[in-house]
């Protein structure tokens, strides 16, 4: 009898051990998918990520993912909206009433924005670089959320700086958001507490910067009207850069580049083996121009302060004169083929290091890593504020961008000379 009981027990145990456990879907599965997708899109771009890759990282199948999102675009849109909404929620926490000190309100708004951006640092680049892939209606909706945040900061800035015009305040608020958002463009390590302090100091310097008056009646620099080059390779590269900047690398075909250059597709391949090689050539062109600008600025300088002013001056002129090239240089590195990506990242890093070395000589209170954070912020600011100015290229516009960059790089007003005044 006992023997039969033991056999039965063993059978029940065997049966229970071979019966698969019931797997329950986590309640936060949709949020898990969205978080993984946002990080992947931000790191490798919308077109560089597949649904299967996202599903594998989450630990589910592709069909299982489709139960939460109907397609990759829906997942992408959700990720972009989540980022915009998180920033909006951070800003909306504070309602500036009539009796609220504007300086205190701005501090709290900036601190909330900085904390939110730090929390989303690995995904925050998604809106900056990939928003061009949103549909027209979705893009307008998301842009409206970001504009509302910008206007909120501009409104508080106007209360603190009554000397600024309305458009000036938009320029300042753009510089603030650009400086904060710059941390999403690189992976340099720094403690959250110190990063928040560093960004807040840079933002204070931006708000306090005395901008030269904008001259809306100033004539824009005339477009260069020399003889056109007959070098088909240069024509192709020029047209490719314009198209990559306007629509993004993945949405441009070799045939379209050839058509813009007046060359058929087979003719394009005689100069560039692939579209990726065109992108690599654009990066080498931009990297060389940045390196040459650094070299010329240093050659004309005798002190660190003078060197920094020259660096800023030369870079702003480069950004305004070649805005499409510089935008591609900062936006499309994730789409480079691996054979080029490592070398070109190294070129970018060396250029940043040269800037950071000069900043460190002026800011002995900062570590080398902290100086690199400020350099990244200043360079990105030049493009973001330049875009708001439509890269008009007037002398006053360029001077204002230079002043804002110097404010970020020095924060305590150590830069001297014409540009800093």
């Amino acid at each position: 009898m006992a023997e039969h009981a033991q056999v039965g027990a063993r059978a029940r145990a065997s049966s229970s051990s071979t019966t698969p456990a019931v797997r329950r879907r986590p309640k936060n599965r949709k949020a898990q998918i969205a978080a993984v997708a946002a990080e992947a899109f931000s790191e490798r771009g919308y077109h560089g990520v597949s649904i299967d890759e996202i599903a594998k990282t989450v630990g589910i199948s592709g069909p299982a993912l489709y139960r939460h999102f109907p397609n990759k675009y829906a997942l992408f849109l959700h990720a972009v909206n989540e980022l915009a909404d998180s920033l909006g929620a951070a800003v909306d926490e504070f309602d500036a009433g009539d009796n609220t000190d504007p300086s205190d309100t701005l501090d709290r708004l900036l601190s909330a924005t900085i904390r939110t951006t730090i929390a989303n640092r690995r995904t925050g680049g998604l809106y900056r670089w990939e928003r061009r892939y949103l549909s027209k209606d979705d893009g307008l909706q998301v842009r409206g959320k970001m504009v509302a945040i910008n206007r909120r900061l501009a409104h508080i800035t106007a209360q603190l700086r009554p000397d600024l015009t309305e458009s000036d305040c938009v320029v300042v608020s753009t510089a603030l958001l650009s400086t904060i958002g710059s941390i999403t463009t690189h992976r340099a390590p720094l403690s959250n507490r110190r990063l928040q302090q560093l960004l807040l100091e840079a933002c204070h310097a931006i708000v306090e910067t005395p901008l030269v008056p904008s001259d809306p009646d100033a004539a824009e620099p005339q477009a260069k009207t020399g003889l056109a080059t007959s070098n088909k390779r240069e024509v192709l590269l020029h047209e490719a850069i314009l198209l990559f900047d306007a629509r993004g690398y993945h949405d441009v075909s070799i045939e379209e580049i050839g058509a813009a250059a007046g060359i058929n597709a087979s003719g394009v391949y005689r100069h560039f083996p692939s579209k990726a090689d065109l992108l690599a050539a654009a990066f080498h062109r931009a990297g060389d121009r940045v390196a040459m600008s650094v070299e010329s600025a240093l050659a004309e300088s005798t002190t660190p302060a003078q060197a920094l002013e020259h660096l800023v001056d030369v870079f702003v002129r480069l950004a305004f004169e070649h805005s499409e090239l510089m935008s591609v240089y900062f936006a499309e590195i994730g789409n480079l083929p691996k054979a080029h990506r490592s070398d070109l990242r190294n070129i970018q890093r060396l250029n940043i290091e040269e800037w950071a070395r000069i900043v460190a000589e002026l800011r002995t209170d900062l570590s080398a890593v902290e100086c690199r954070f400020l350099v990244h912020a200043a360079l990105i600011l030049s493009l973001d504020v330049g875009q708001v100015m439509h890269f008009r290229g007037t002398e006053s516009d360029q001077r204002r961008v230079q002043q804002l960059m110097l404010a970020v790089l020095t924060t305590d007003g150590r830069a001297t000379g014409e540009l800093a005044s």
Side-chain angles (χ1 to χ4, degrees):
M1 189 76 176
E3 183 179 351
H4 285 296
Q6 290 175 355
V7 171
R10 285 196 298 270
R12 286 192 299 274
S14 175
S15 174
S16 64
S17 66
T18 57
T19 301
V22 177
R23 296 182 62 184
R24 291 182 173 81
R25 187 183 309 163
K27 293 181 179 179
N28 66 337
R29 177 68 83 198
K30 185 172 184 177
Q32 286 180 339
I33 295 170
V36 167
E39 186 170 329
F41 288 144
S42 183
E43 182 178 341
R44 304 202 303 280
Y46 173 63
H47 288 283
V49 179
S50 70
I51 282 289
D52 288 339
E53 287 178 276
I54 296 169
K56 184 178 179 180
T57 303
V58 177
I60 60 177
S61 66
L65 188 150
Y66 287 121
R67 286 199 288 268
H68 301 278
F69 296 96
N71 51 48
K72 188 171 79 165
Y73 180 80
L75 185 49
F76 173 61
L77 177 61
H78 177 85
V80 175
N81 272 313
E82 284 280 296
L83 285 169
D85 290 341
S86 65
L87 276 177
V91 170
D92 288 343
E93 286 182 28
F94 306 105
D95 181 19
D98 294 335
N99 298 322
T100 304
D101 178 6
S103 179
D104 180 60
T105 300
L106 182 63
D107 253 14
R108 289 185 293 153
L109 284 173
L110 290 173
S111 295
T113 305
I114 291 169
R115 285 195 301 270
T116 302
T117 305
I118 291 174
N120 294 283
R121 186 180 176 189
R122 295 187 67 85
T123 61
L126 180 60
Y127 175 74
R128 173 183 293 279
W129 306 128
E130 301 298 305
R131 66 178 181 267
R132 73 187 90 187
Y133 297 118
L134 292 169
S135 70
K136 182 178 179 179
D137 289 344
D138 291 337
L140 288 173
Q141 183 181 33
V142 175
R143 185 176 182 277
K145 296 177 182 180
M146 300 305 295
V147 168
I149 296 170
N150 192 310
R151 285 177 178 168
R152 182 72 180 277
L153 287 172
H155 176 70
I156 302 300
T157 299
Q159 295 179 33
L160 288 168
R161 295 287 307 275
D163 58 306
L164 298 180
T165 65
E166 183 178 347
S167 61
D168 289 341
C169 291
V170 171
V171 166
V172 170
S173 61
T174 300
L176 293 172
L177 290 173
S178 178
T179 296
I180 295 170
S182 67
I183 66 172
T184 67
T185 66
H186 60 95
R187 295 289 178 260
L190 192 63
S191 72
N192 288 352
R193 182 176 180 180
R194 179 60 188 129
L195 181 52
Q196 182 170 340
Q197 181 183 6
L198 188 70
L199 291 174
L200 195 56
E201 289 172 356
C203 287
H204 284 160
I206 288 171
V207 173
E208 296 166 6
T209 299
L211 298 176
V212 299
S214 176
D215 186 359
D217 298 324
E220 296 183 25
Q222 295 295 314
K224 294 179 180 178
T225 56
L227 295 175
T229 180
S230 61
N231 186 327
K232 295 300 184 183
R233 189 178 191 280
E234 285 298 312
V235 174
L236 283 167
L237 182 56
H238 174 73
E239 296 298 337
I241 289 168
L242 296 181
L243 288 168
F244 291 158
D245 176 57
R247 290 166 42 203
Y249 172 77
H250 281 281
D251 278 3
V252 176
S253 69
I254 281 285
E255 288 75 17
E256 288 174 304
I257 296 170
I263 302 172
N264 59 35
S266 61
V268 175
Y269 291 118
R270 283 198 292 270
H271 299 279
F272 295 95
S274 68
K275 188 173 73 167
D277 287 290
L278 266 164
L279 181 62
F283 264 80
H284 281 291
R285 177 65 51 85
D288 287 344
R289 286 187 171 169
V290 172
M292 289 172 64
S293 72
V294 171
E295 182 180 351
S296 65
L298 296 181
E300 296 172 4
S301 307
T302 56
T303 67
Q306 193 178 53
L308 187 60
E309 290 180 0
H310 285 152
L311 281 170
V312 167
D313 178 34
V314 173
F315 187 85
V316 169
R317 295 187 187 282
L318 177 62
F320 272 71
E321 290 174 12
H322 303 282
S323 58
E324 297 91 355
L325 175 64
M326 299 310 295
S327 293
V328 170
Y329 183 60
F330 281 95
E332 299 286 0
I333 194 164
N335 290 316
L336 285 168
K338 290 182 179 179
H340 295 282
R341 194 180 310 157
S342 178
D343 287 343
L344 288 166
R345 279 193 187 279
N346 191 50
I347 291 172
Q348 284 188 341
R349 181 185 62 79
L350 290 174
N351 286 327
I352 294 291
E353 292 290 343
E354 199 68 67
W355 278 70
R357 181 179 65 82
I358 299 300
V359 173
E361 292 189 41
L362 290 169
R363 295 296 309 274
T364 55
D365 56 314
L366 299 181
S367 68
V369 171
E370 290 165 346
C371 290
R372 288 199 294 273
F373 269 89
L374 294 183
V375 171
H376 279 288
L379 298 182
I380 293 297
L381 179 154
S382 70
L383 297 177
D384 288 345
V385 176
Q387 188 174 53
V388 168
M389 295 175 171
H390 305 291
F391 292 106
R392 285 185 297 266
T394 63
E395 193 63 29
S396 62
D397 278 353
Q398 292 190 43
R399 283 284 305 281
R400 286 145 68 82
V401 175
Q402 291 162 8
Q403 288 177 308
L404 291 168
M405 289 180 69
L406 283 171
V408 169
L409 293 167
T410 61
T411 68
D412 60 355
R414 296 188 189 187
T416 58
E418 183 183 358
L419 291 179
S421 62

